[in-house]
Amino acid sequence: MSSKPTCLIVASAAPQGVNASSFHQAFTLCSPVFNLQTATPGGKPIDFGGVDESTARWVQDFSVKPYATPAKLESIDGARYQALLIPDCPGALTDLAHSGSLARILTHFTSQQKPVCAIGQGVSALCCATEGQRWMFSGYCLTGPSVFELVRSPDFANLPLIVEDFVKDSGGSYTASQEDALHVVLDRHLVTGQNLQSSTVAINNLILLCNSGR
């Protein structure tokens, strides 16, 4: 039996930066399939937002586990990982979307066509992947939060980035479904999910990609 592939879960280090439900789904689905490593900018602890009755106990249990301490994103070598997953991270807009370290990792993953999955507001993290004036995912089809979903947020007017606009302005193709509808796009090695509701299907597509490529 071959050893499990290793998946890097990249999360925001911003306050309330990671959606608890999306991260919970990611960890639960990926644990049986992958060896998992979490990483955040500066190796800062993950601050979960949207914790409810269904996730509170899990978050509490997770926080005391040894693997709950993230590695520093700046010290991650992308060559050591077979898959990359960015869950729904509202905080990604403030840190991951401008991360040179994540851009370096994504450059490696794209050059090797290794599976990458980004969900909901975690899709904004892909915006960091620029080489000069060119976006690494120019020519790709992808989804992410629609304006109709984002506008419901009280800080909509202050968002530093709208994924839909960035993708279209940078040479990508953007699609979205109705608000809160399941919508996943698979293009080559890239899987994107529109929102939290798309987490499970997006992650399962990441797993399928990894299995088909082994």
Side-chain angles (χ1 to χ4, degrees), residues 146 149 176-183 194-195:
S146 69
E149 289 169 322
S177 184
Q178 299 168 325
E179 302 98 284
D180 304 323
L182 191 161
H183 183 60
Q194 179 175 325
N195 44 35

Side-chain angles (χ1 to χ4, degrees), residues 126-208:
L126 302 178
C127 299
C128 72
T130 53
E131 297 174 313
Q133 297 299 308
R134 184 181 175 277
W135 186 42
M136 212 175 296
F137 296 104
S138 174
Y140 279 74
C141 296
L142 62 161
T143 186
S146 69
V147 171
F148 297 107
E149 289 169 322
L150 292 173
V151 77
R152 298 179 301 195
S153 166
D155 58 353
F156 174 72
N158 300 315
L159 291 179
L161 180 76
I162 304 291
V163 166
E164 178 178 352
D165 294 343
F166 181 93
V167 171
K168 290 175 177 175
D169 292 345
S170 304
S173 299
Y174 174 89
T175 64
S177 184
Q178 299 168 325
E179 302 98 284
D180 304 323
L182 191 161
H183 183 60
V184 172
V185 176
L186 170 60
D187 187 350
R188 286 162 271 185
H189 65 108
L190 178 66
V191 183
T192 47
Q194 179 175 325
N195 44 35
L196 173 63
Q197 291 80 357
S198 306
S199 296
T200 297
V201 174
I203 295 162
N204 278 321
N205 272 277
L206 176 72
I207 293 169
L208 284 169

Side-chain angles (χ1 to χ4, degrees), residues 10-12 41 73 86 89 91-99 102 124-125 128:
V10 175
S12 168
L73 191 59
I86 308 167
C89 296
L93 287 164
T94 57
D95 56 12
L96 297 179
H98 314 287
S99 169
L102 180 57
S124 66
C128 72

Side-chain angles (χ1 to χ4, degrees), residues 14-55:
Q16 301 276 294
V18 181
N19 182 289
S21 182
S22 184
F23 191 90
H24 177 218
Q25 290 176 56
F27 217 89
T28 303
L29 288 168
C30 289
S31 291
V33 184
F34 297 108
N35 294 313
L36 296 175
Q37 170 71 64
T38 56
T40 60
K44 295 175 184 172
I46 296 170
D47 186 22
F48 292 106
V51 178
D52 57 19
E53 287 180 9
S54 65
T55 53

